[in-house]
Amino acid sequence: IYLNGAILGMTRRDIDREFDSIVSFAGQEKFLEVPVKRYSSGMYVRLAFSVAAHLQSDILLVDEVLAVGDAEFQARCLDKLKDLAHSGRTVLVVSHHTHLLRTLCSRGLLLEGGRLVFDGSTSACLDRYGGLGDTWLQSEWRRHDAPPAPLGFAGGRTRVLGQQPDLELEVTLDLVSSGPHPRAVVHLGLATPHGPQFAHMPLQEACIDPRHAFHQVTIRVKLPPLIPGPYMVNLWVGAEGTGFDQGQGELGFLIEASPMPGRIEPHAAERGLLVPQTQVDYAGSARPI
């Protein structure tokens, strides 16, 4: 404890004052006289975080602090980080633990290849992070294994047409029949990477004719005024309440422009995905109106 505190810049008097609190927070009272070389990695990191958490610094950098420890200790760490942030200090948390970041952070920075590629709200940052390297954002998908019998998706494509706020999503799906089945219908769903499905669009007609082996269905959807960001398309095909095949996130699309170009406040998913068109009438006068 004294060595680690000294490395972090604490004086012996600082450590003496915080010693009991450090040991108690780490939950290491029973093992205080055990040589550190016999500690597990979890015990070691718990004690190290406890020392750092009691450092009176203006800026605290924490790297993957919740990678170890039980649920009780993780909750204690989270409460401690919140207390530090609310006390006016800056806490920079480096983590792939999205729930931690969403709960704790008010601002998100995204690094790719060592470079800063995004700086904004936490929610928008996590949406952008979810799109890096993920397959669901691809606008074209081809299935590599055989579709399930008797009917399944073989692939698909998406295109976003038009300009904000009048955008249209075009989804073209390829399907294969490998056995007898009744006429089938396709359902589409729209969702965000980190949220529930927010739109469900069943076709009104069972258009998949079982007399054919290969099928292509093109669906055009007039999109609501969505905020910029990545979205995923969920797929389902079936008949009379029986599902034959489904896909979640094989296809996606990106909304790049704002549906309200003159918007003063930046978009944030936690405030809603839709931006209704509004009209404002204003009157000003030197006298009361």
Side-chain angles (χ1 to χ4, degrees):
I1 293 174
Y2 281 93
L3 176 61
N4 196 12
I7 291 173
L8 293 175
M10 299 174 71
T11 66
R12 187 176 187 88
R13 182 178 297 177
D14 293 335
I15 301 172
D16 286 339
R17 184 177 60 250
E18 302 287 353
F19 188 88
D20 291 341
S21 180
I22 290 172
V23 175
S24 175
F25 184 88
Q28 306 288 70
E29 295 93 335
K30 295 180 181 179
F31 311 102
L32 196 57
E33 302 304 323
V34 175
V36 176
K37 66 181 181 180
R38 295 199 174 99
Y39 276 25
S40 68
S41 59
M43 295 168 64
Y44 192 87
V45 173
R46 285 167 70 116
L47 194 56
F49 175 79
S50 184
V51 174
H54 289 80
L55 177 67
Q56 299 299 314
S57 61
D58 293 327
I59 302 174
L60 180 64
L61 279 70
V62 185
D63 187 2
E64 293 291 6
V65 66
L66 297 190
V68 297
D70 54 23
E72 185 271 337
F73 180 71
Q74 291 184 8
R76 205 184 318 162
C77 289
L78 190 58
D79 290 339
K80 185 66 174 179
L81 291 174
K82 288 180 180 178
D83 291 341
L84 292 174
H86 292 158
S87 68
R89 284 183 269 178
T90 298
V91 181
L92 177 60
V93 182
V94 183
S95 181
H96 296 88
H97 195 305
T98 57
H99 175 70
L100 167 68
L101 299 176
R102 196 179 297 276
T103 303
L104 181 66
C105 301
S106 58
R107 176 181 171 193
L109 304 175
L110 179 61
L111 302 180
E112 182 181 8
R115 295 187 177 185
L116 181 67
V117 296
F118 182 85
D119 180 355
S121 72
T122 303
S123 180
C125 183
L126 292 177
D127 285 345
R128 181 74 175 267
Y129 167 69
L132 293 179
D134 282 0
T135 58
W136 57 259
L137 192 55
Q138 63 187 7
S139 59
E140 185 164 354
W141 161 63
R142 182 58 49 187
R143 192 177 200 138
H144 297 295
D145 56 343
L151 177 65
F153 296 105
R157 295 163 295 285
T158 61
R159 287 198 306 165
V160 178
L161 309 173
Q163 294 182 340
Q164 286 277 37
D166 298 314
L167 293 180
E168 187 176 73
L169 174 65
E170 181 183 86
V171 182
T172 300
L173 301 172
D174 300 323
L175 299 98
V176 176
S177 291
S178 56
H181 61 81
R183 291 180 71 90
V185 65
V186 173
H187 291 208
L188 295 184
L190 300 182
T192 59
H194 304 288
Q197 181 170 290
F198 64 88
H200 177 234
M201 297 156 288
L203 298 188
Q204 301 300 315
E205 180 183 354
C207 58
I208 309 297
D209 192 332
R211 294 174 297 177
H212 303 145
F214 303 98
H215 319 272
Q216 188 174 89
V217 181
T218 299
I219 306 164
R220 291 181 180 87
V221 179
K222 182 173 176 55
L223 291 174
L226 295 170
I227 68 172
Y231 296 88
M232 51 193 280
V233 180
N234 296 329
L235 308 173
W236 184 92
V237 61
E240 300 176 356
T242 300
F244 297 140
D245 193 14
Q246 61 182 347
Q248 186 170 2
E250 278 78 10
L251 286 170
F253 61 96
L254 184 67
I255 300 293
E256 297 183 299
S258 170
M260 188 178 291
R263 182 184 174 99
I264 298 174
E265 192 174 13
H267 296 287
E270 60 267 21
R271 297 174 186 162
L273 300 176
L274 304 182
V275 183
Q277 296 299 304
T278 56
Q279 180 177 344
V280 178
D281 292 324
Y282 169 78
S285 173
R287 301 185 304 273
I289 298 176

